[in-house]
Amino acid sequence: MLHRVHEAPLLPEDAMLLKGVLAGERRALAKAITLIESSRADHRSRANALLKALLPHTGHSIRLGISGVPGVGKSTFIEALGIWLVEQGARLAVLAVDPSSSISGGSILGDKTRMELLAAREEAFIRPSPSAGSLGGVAEKTREAMLLAEAAGFNVVVVETVGVGQSETTVAGMVDMFILLQLPNAGDDLQAIKKGIVEVADCILINKADINPQAAAFACAQWKNALKMLRTASPHWLPPVLTVSAAQKEGLDIFWKEVLRFKCTLEASGEFQAKRKAQAVRWMWNLIDAGLRQQFDEHPLVKAELPGLSNSVENGKISPTAAAGQLLSYMQHV
Ligand code: GDP
């Protein structure tokens, strides 16, 4: 027999929040994101009801992921690009996935003092990374925040992440176009290639070209060569490599033309829509995996038996397979 999950109706205060988000109010959007970031069970069900009501209003933005090692110039670039875009009538939301903030409580991507000029603009919305939870948890909240920002009428959403750990692939899995910022020296290139990040990159920007334009042009040529040999994310799109200077606001227009060309090209081949659909289904599976794991961790029999069984595995008294089988079998006892 099928059981339907009970869906709570919107509380009156959340109906107000919904109205505020749909009217594009930044305060309402910030409050709604705080609600979805909460781990309290009652907040979670309110957040789900709110998300459901907002879902029909989502999807109308271009979603960009921007990554690069600390110091490469991500926030300088996003601020320059953001101001340039809002001056042309865009509304831009900047969200962050910072794995360091969930591990240490500190954050590589920094706090609200970043991008002050952009933050002051009514047409921009900047939200730091949620600081609680695993990378998966942080990414889940950021993806939901992205949907809320879209419902609030932000037509460009930038998800920023640091070039450390798994966060690039996680962010690449939630955006339309993934952009990698690099410095004009060869050392970084190898790192990015080794970690497989280049394979998810749709565009590579060599930043700080103002410092040494020749070195930047050389790095650009090297990257172009390397990309010819690597497997790229789409068969219809060879990731462009551009030199930019975030500090001097140079190359923003050329970059934006590439973003639009990317969207047009992938829309024409049907990949744009297919990618979003596949991302949504993958997202469902991520949530199922996380939910099953949580049910497992919270199961009273598992909680009671896990330490002993884990000890027995350590001491070779029981095989890992047998222990895992026994623990998983408890899930059938509700
Ligand atoms: P993030 O850690 O990747 O966000 O890097 P930031 O945006 O904080 O930039 C790190 C440093 O590089 C700052 O001192 C910036 O002023 C500087 N910077 C960023 N972009 C450029 C650029 O295009 N040219 C120059 N010369 N400096 C830059």
Side-chain angles (χ1 to χ4, degrees), residues 68-77 109 114 160 207-211 244-248:
V69 293
V72 68
K74 291 179 296 299
S75 55
T76 311
F77 180 76
L109 288 178
R114 301 162 82 244
E160 177 187 11
N207 190 33
K208 307 201 186 184
D210 56 298
I211 298 175
V244 295
S245 165
Q248 305 289 324

Side-chain angles (χ1 to χ4, degrees), residues 15-334:
M16 286 294 289
L17 208 51
L18 173 74
K19 237 176 109 183
V21 171
L22 289 176
E25 289 165 18
R26 293 197 300 176
R27 266 177 61 97
L29 176 58
K31 272 180 82 172
I33 295 178
T34 302
L35 182 66
I36 61 155
E37 283 180 357
S38 168
S39 52
R40 266 176 51 180
D42 58 328
H43 286 174
R44 197 60 240 163
S45 71
R46 283 172 55 196
N48 284 341
L50 187 64
L51 273 165
K52 190 178 174 215
L54 287 170
L55 204 62
H57 305 276
T58 64
H60 306 295
S61 80
I62 174 100
R63 304 166 179 172
L64 305 178
I66 294 190
S67 179
V69 293
V72 68
K74 291 179 296 299
S75 55
T76 311
F77 180 76
I78 295 168
E79 179 158 58
L81 178 75
I83 290 172
W84 185 79
L85 284 170
V86 299
E87 278 169 1
Q88 296 181 55
R91 295 187 74 220
L92 173 112
V94 183
L95 312 169
V97 171
D98 183 350
S100 65
S101 70
S102 51
I103 297 164
S104 64
S107 153
I108 297 180
L109 288 178
D111 50 29
K112 287 178 208 127
T113 54
R114 301 162 82 244
M115 304 183 215
E116 270 174 342
L117 290 175
L118 182 60
R121 303 290 300 241
E122 191 58 41
E123 308 89 334
F125 177 82
I126 300 177
R127 182 84 179 186
S129 181
S131 55
S134 59
L135 171 59
V138 166
E140 177 193 334
K141 306 291 180 198
T142 305
R143 193 182 148 95
E144 289 176 351
M146 178 171 82
L147 298 178
L148 294 185
E150 285 182 349
F154 289 90
N155 55 357
V156 181
V157 179
V158 172
V159 183
E160 177 187 11
T161 194
V162 268
V164 292
Q166 285 296 305
S167 64
E168 293 100 336
T169 29
T170 306
V171 169
M174 68 170 91
V175 296
D176 303 317
M177 184 177 188
F178 188 71
I179 296 121
L180 188 62
L181 249 67
Q182 289 283 306
L183 291 170
N185 53 43
D188 295 333
D189 305 358
L190 269 178
Q191 276 301 317
I193 292 169
K194 257 198 266 173
K195 289 195 286 175
I197 299 156
V198 178
E199 286 170 24
V200 293
D202 300 300
C203 178
I204 293 173
L205 299 179
I206 317 288
N207 190 33
K208 307 201 186 184
D210 56 298
I211 298 175
N212 184 345
Q214 270 177 328
F218 183 67
C220 192
Q222 273 192 325
W223 267 112
K224 282 183 180 163
N225 263 331
L227 281 174
K228 281 186 207 146
M229 289 178 282
L230 291 167
R231 189 163 52 87
T232 51
S234 157
H236 300 103
W237 181 256
L238 179 67
V241 188
L242 309 171
T243 57
V244 295
S245 165
Q248 305 289 324
K249 303 177 180 51
E250 276 169 18
L252 301 174
D253 48 350
I254 299 173
F255 166 68
W256 196 250
K257 269 192 194 135
E258 291 297 330
V259 173
L260 299 179
R261 189 168 70 85
F262 175 84
K263 190 165 183 273
C264 274
T265 309
L266 271 73
E267 270 176 352
S269 70
E271 267 174 280
F272 194 83
Q273 301 81 344
K275 188 171 172 179
R276 280 195 174 179
K277 285 180 187 169
Q279 285 176 341
V281 172
R282 202 168 335 120
W283 198 253
M284 178 188 77
W285 279 108
N286 284 346
L287 294 175
I288 291 173
D289 287 347
L292 284 174
R293 178 60 199 253
Q294 193 183 350
Q295 280 180 21
F296 178 80
D297 289 342
E298 285 171 1
H299 197 287
L301 277 173
V302 171
K303 270 187 176 164
E305 297 292 323
L306 186 64
L309 278 169
S310 169
N311 210 339
S312 301
V313 170
E314 237 175 76
N315 298 324
K317 288 186 190 143
I318 179 171
S319 76
T321 315
Q326 191 171 332
L327 287 165
L328 285 170
S329 74
Y330 296 149
M331 299 282 284
Q332 285 154 19
H333 304 268
V334 190

